[in-house]
Every structure is written in structure tokens, then in C-alpha cells.
Amino acid sequence: QVQLVESGGGLVQAGGSLRLSCAASGRTFSLYKMGWFRQAPGKEREFVGSIRWSRDITGYADSVKGRFTISRDNAKTTVYLQMNSLKPEDTAVYYCAAQLSAGEYNYWGQGTQVTVSS
């Protein structure tokens, strides 16, 4: 089992920045990839970005490319989502998720709310 706890959400004005954290515990030695997703009211959950746990390979949705950056601290078993130049359309609940192998995400955090005011 892997437990994930997100933090760092909040209210920010458009153009501002926030950094989300996702602390992993449990079978972290088995992690393959960590991802960030978001879900806005009335919309489906969408992929934001991901990072391989043991390699510096990241991927991003087109909507956040160039504004968001994912990083990790393996010693702290924590993944970060640095969000810059935030827009009102970035408002959503942000979730982190973990893969133990390529394929579906096996574990999910509880989510953290990000609200961007115009």
C-alpha cells in the first residue's frame, strides 16, 4: 500500500504562483511514476503532469506546459507541483497519484483545492 497526502492548495490571484506537495508513505520503494491530476466543478478529471520516480522524465498536459513544473525529493518521498502564471481556468481540486508499474495509477490522494481569482 502507498498513502498519498497533498498539501499547499489555496486561493491566489491570477498570475500568481502556488506549490503543491504530495507526501508518499508506505511501499514507496515500489513507486514507478507519480502524477498530478485535477478536476474542476462539472468537469472530468484531467491529467496535469507526471514524473518517473527514479528517472528525470516528466510529461505535461499542453494546457500547463511552460507554467507548471513537477519535481521530486526521493529522500523525502515527496513530489511537488510548482504552478506559475496561474489562470482562473486552473481552478480545481488537484490530486496526486502513484503508479507501481506502467499503466493505471494505483493510489490517489485526497485532493487539495486550488482557486485562482481573476
Side-chain angles (χ1 to χ4, degrees):
Q1 293 283 344
V2 174
Q3 294 78 42
L4 304 173
V5 179
E6 303 100 332
S7 61
L11 173 65
V12 63
Q13 289 189 332
S17 299
L18 277 177
R19 189 177 81 156
L20 306 183
S21 300
C22 175
S25 61
R27 292 183 58 190
T28 57
F29 58 88
S30 300
L31 289 173
Y32 173 76
K33 181 186 292 184
M34 298 288 289
W36 285 97
F37 293 77
R38 67 186 182 185
Q39 187 167 20
K43 295 187 177 181
E44 293 187 352
R45 185 170 59 195
E46 65 174 356
F47 171 77
V48 174
S50 65
I51 186 167
R52 288 278 299 272
W53 191 249
S54 59
R55 299 177 67 182
D56 289 331
I57 299 175
T58 56
Y60 298 92
D62 287 343
S63 58
V64 306
K65 203 171 292 184
R67 299 188 299 123
F68 290 10
T69 303
I70 296 176
S71 61
R72 70 182 189 288
D73 184 333
N74 289 42
K76 295 182 179 180
T77 61
T78 299
V79 173
Y80 304 97
L81 179 65
Q82 177 67 43
M83 306 185 293
N84 299 327
S85 302
L86 282 161
K87 305 174 181 180
E89 51 263 43
D90 294 318
T91 295
V93 177
Y94 283 71
Y95 300 89
C96 71
Q99 283 184 356
L100 300 184
S101 60
E104 294 186 0
Y105 283 87
N106 309 97
Y107 301 98
W108 294 82
Q110 82 288 351
T112 185
Q113 176 70 47
V114 171
T115 303
V116 184
S117 63
S118 57

